[in-house]
Amino acid sequence: MKILVAVKRVVDYNVKVRVKSDNTGVDIANVKMSMNPFDEIAMEEAVRLKEAGIATEVIAVSCGVTQCQETLRTAMAIGADRGILVETDVDLQPLAVAKILKNLVEKEQAQLVILGKQAIDDDSNQTGQMLAALLNVPQATFASKVQVSNGQALVTREVDGGSETLTLNIPAVITADLRLNEPRYATLPNIMKAKKKPLDIVKPEDLGIDVSPRLKTIRVEDPPKRKAGVILPDVKTLVEKLKNEAKVI
């Protein structure tokens, strides 16, 4: 069984993002970039399935600028067998990424697709769901546990009221939540081995896919600063403020 894992290059989660002076977006110049944490969890799960003898090959896919090769090399250091970069300078939106992944899934004949539930830069939480719809296959989002056997995936997923367990027929799409696993550190020997693993580079036009943005960002701003809190003398004053100032009751 082949597993395809999508990995995205994002601003490192430890970095405080800054809005550009012209409010057109986030400033990523000279900023540390890394693999999206949820995608790292997805990659770890795919590698574990391979180590368990369930998967025969793990393919990492990234869409974006040339520097995404670094993200793919990290994925291969974790355990992916090879990488595919769909290189473009266009600011890709979820539907475009889903169309690219659909093309690659069909081309590679991957039976299982695992990706992070969302990216920490745009927080769209859409690509996995769109991909499943385009492929017309079952999906399980926010997975916290995955078991694969006999052509089926048993997935425990987190919901508002707790958790639920779904049985999916493979092929399927699974999106990884935070509690699915603890990603391993890429060791130095594996980092060196990753440099020799195959990495293919294609363009969206090679796949016959139009990735032109369908949405336009008008303006990006920092969130308003929170006002300082106040200490109230009693519950009566609290209720009055909630009613008259905050107007929440």
Side-chain angles (χ1 to χ4, degrees):
M1 181 176 71
K2 283 186 182 180
I3 299 179
L4 188 143
V5 182
V7 295
K8 186 176 184 181
R9 179 177 181 263
V10 299
V11 176
D12 190 87
Y13 67 91
N14 288 313
V15 174
K16 179 176 174 58
V17 295
R18 302 185 305 273
V19 175
K20 292 180 180 177
S21 58
D22 58 1
N23 296 104
T24 57
V26 174
D27 186 6
I28 60 172
N30 302 315
V31 170
K32 181 184 178 183
M33 308 292 284
S34 62
M35 186 190 301
N36 178 48
F38 291 107
D39 295 342
E40 198 171 359
I41 292 169
M43 178 56 65
E44 173 67 25
E45 191 65 22
V47 172
R48 290 187 184 187
L49 289 172
K50 184 188 174 186
E51 291 173 343
I54 296 169
T56 55
E57 186 179 27
V58 176
I59 307 165
V61 177
S62 190
C63 308
V65 295
T66 305
Q67 291 86 340
C68 290
Q69 292 185 45
E70 301 169 8
T71 306
L72 287 170
R73 292 296 178 192
T74 300
M76 288 187 278
I78 293 173
D81 297 291
R82 56 191 174 93
I84 302 173
L85 170 61
V86 183
E87 188 176 21
T88 178
D89 292 328
V90 176
D91 186 13
L92 296 174
Q93 294 173 354
L95 182 57
V97 176
K99 288 181 178 179
I100 290 171
L101 293 176
K102 174 182 180 291
N103 186 295
L104 294 175
V105 168
E106 293 174 342
K107 181 180 178 182
E108 296 290 342
Q109 294 295 299
Q111 287 79 45
L112 188 62
V113 183
I114 309 179
L115 59 164
K117 69 171 185 176
Q118 65 194 76
I120 62 172
D121 52 1
D122 56 18
D123 276 334
S124 292
N125 182 22
Q126 295 175 340
T127 305
Q129 293 89 326
M130 288 178 171
L131 175 60
L134 290 173
L135 289 169
N136 194 27
V137 299
Q139 62 173 301
T141 56
F142 317 125
S144 58
K145 185 178 181 181
V146 176
Q147 296 173 287
V148 179
S149 62
N150 300 321
Q152 291 185 324
L154 189 67
V155 181
T156 301
R157 61 186 298 268
E158 299 185 357
V159 295
D160 291 340
S163 64
E164 69 176 4
T165 302
L166 303 176
T167 300
L168 310 179
N169 291 324
I170 293 174
V173 174
I174 298 173
T175 68
D177 208 341
L178 190 65
R179 278 165 284 279
L180 180 57
N181 59 52
E182 182 72 28
R184 71 192 69 185
Y185 288 102
T187 62
L188 183 58
N190 287 337
I191 292 173
M192 300 305 293
K193 290 177 184 177
K195 294 180 179 180
K196 298 180 180 179
K197 291 183 179 180
L199 195 161
D200 299 325
I201 300 176
V202 297
K203 304 282 186 182
E205 48 268 29
D206 298 335
L207 305 175
I209 297 171
D210 179 14
V211 294
S212 302
R214 294 169 179 259
L215 303 174
K216 181 180 180 181
T217 301
I218 305 299
R219 186 178 177 85
V220 177
E221 296 179 347
D222 282 313
K225 293 183 179 179
R226 295 181 61 181
K227 296 180 180 179
V230 294
I231 298 177
L232 303 178
D234 50 44
V235 175
K236 181 181 178 180
T237 307
L238 172 62
V239 173
E240 289 177 353
K241 284 186 173 292
L242 291 174
K243 184 175 181 180
N244 301 321
E245 294 184 18
K247 298 186 184 300
V248 294
I249 59 173

